């Protein structure tokens, strides 16, 4: 499956610009992590999983990760991508455990990218680029801030990866900083 086919499939089930932006963000961050984690030759694959991971969320929020296999299979997506997508609902709606490094990264970063964007929007720059770990850590610890981004899931993701929480925060922040221009450009092109 090509990236364009995947994107068309995503748009078949997602209209909300916030959801499109989230998909583009997680795609870019996943590709960054593929390089970072020594899977550069699989970067496109990691990106596809990121792009499609929430495909069922807009129309079927109550069946998140349960409805996804049907939508993805209908769209001709391969079973390995479907498995990886579903695994980010581990312990929430499904019992498919993240096994591959890519699946663990997806689990750990999904909610965290949302938190980082929300923190960026609070800044005069509206950007991640001048954000430091210390300030991100403060937002993470502030329970009322971006309360929809589950700290429990983020912490569980770090544990799966065998990383300290700070390591996960720093790496994901680095990823977002590196990808921000590209994410903004792509999101604007879709708006
Ligand atoms: Fe997500």
């Amino acid at each position: 499956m090509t990236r364009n086919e995947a994107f068309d499939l995503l748009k078949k089930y997602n209209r909300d610009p916030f959801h499109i932006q989230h998909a583009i963000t997680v795609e870019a961050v996943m590709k960054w992590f593929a390089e970072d984690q020594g899977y550069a030759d699989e970067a496109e694959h990691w990106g596809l999983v990121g792009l499609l991971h929430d495909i069922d969320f807009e129309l079927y929020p109550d069946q998140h990760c349960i409805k996804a296999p049907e939508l993805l299979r209908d769209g001709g997506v391969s079973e390995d991508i479907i498995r990886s997508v579903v695994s980010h609902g581990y312990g929430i709606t499904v019992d498919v455990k993240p096994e591959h490094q890519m699946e663990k990264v997806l689990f750990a970063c999904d909610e965290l990218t949302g938190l980082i964007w929300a923190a960026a929007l609070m800044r005069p720059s509206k950007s991640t680029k001048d954000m430091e770990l210390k300030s991100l850590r403060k937002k993470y610890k502030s329970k009322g801030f971006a309360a929809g981004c589950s700290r429990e899931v983020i912490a569980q993701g770090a544990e799966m990866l065998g990383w300290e929480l700070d390591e996960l925060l720093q790496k994901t922040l680095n990823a977002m900083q590196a990808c921000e221009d590209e994410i903004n450009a792509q999101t604007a092109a879709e708006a």
Side-chain angles (χ1 to χ4, degrees):
M1 161 164 272
T2 67
R3 198 267 177 186
N4 277 346
E5 287 166 346
F7 203 79
D8 286 345
L9 186 61
L10 173 77
K11 286 193 289 189
K12 187 173 169 188
Y13 299 104
N14 288 268
R15 295 278 152 83
D16 185 339
F18 186 79
H19 292 155
I20 301 287
Q21 188 209 31
H22 175 65
I24 290 170
T25 301
V26 177
E27 176 192 28
V29 166
M30 289 298 285
K31 285 170 82 172
W32 184 94
F33 268 107
E35 303 266 349
D36 180 71
Q37 295 293 297
Y39 294 88
D41 53 341
E42 292 176 24
E44 288 300 317
H45 181 72
W46 287 46
L48 284 180
V49 172
L51 187 64
L52 293 170
H53 81 285
D54 275 343
I55 190 160
D56 62 1
F57 189 68
E58 187 169 310
L59 292 178
Y60 308 97
D62 297 335
Q63 299 175 75
H64 185 37
C65 295
I66 296 170
K67 194 75 179 172
E70 182 189 323
L71 309 187
L72 294 170
R73 242 168 241 139
D74 277 356
V77 175
S78 63
E79 289 300 318
D80 56 337
I81 290 182
I82 293 175
R83 194 215 112 83
S84 296
V85 163
V86 169
S87 75
H88 92 281
Y90 176 66
I92 306 159
T93 52
V94 298
D95 59 3
V96 178
K97 196 175 182 182
E99 307 272 4
H100 190 283
Q101 188 73 355
M102 172 257 284
E103 295 170 347
K104 294 176 186 176
V105 168
L106 174 65
F107 190 94
C109 293
D110 176 21
E111 303 270 322
L112 180 53
T113 61
L115 182 92
I116 294 174
W117 267 140
L121 291 177
M122 303 288 290
R123 306 175 71 76
S125 65
K126 308 274 186 237
S127 171
T128 61
K129 290 184 190 175
D130 57 353
M131 192 187 300
E132 289 181 358
L133 176 62
K134 208 174 109 191
S135 129
L136 175 58
R137 200 192 288 129
K138 228 190 245 175
K139 296 286 189 207
Y140 177 91
K141 287 188 175 155
S142 159
K143 286 196 178 125
F145 179 78
C149 302
S150 167
R151 310 313 201 255
E152 207 179 303
V153 166
I154 296 168
Q156 199 187 340
E159 202 184 306
M160 279 177 193
L161 287 160
W163 300 350
E164 293 294 330
L165 179 66
D166 267 359
E167 191 179 353
L168 174 64
L169 296 183
Q170 182 69 69
K171 274 183 185 292
T172 309
L173 180 58
N174 291 347
M176 301 266 299
Q177 288 170 340
C179 302
E180 184 177 301
D181 291 343
E182 186 197 324
I183 292 167
N184 284 341
Q186 279 201 40
T187 304
E190 290 303 323

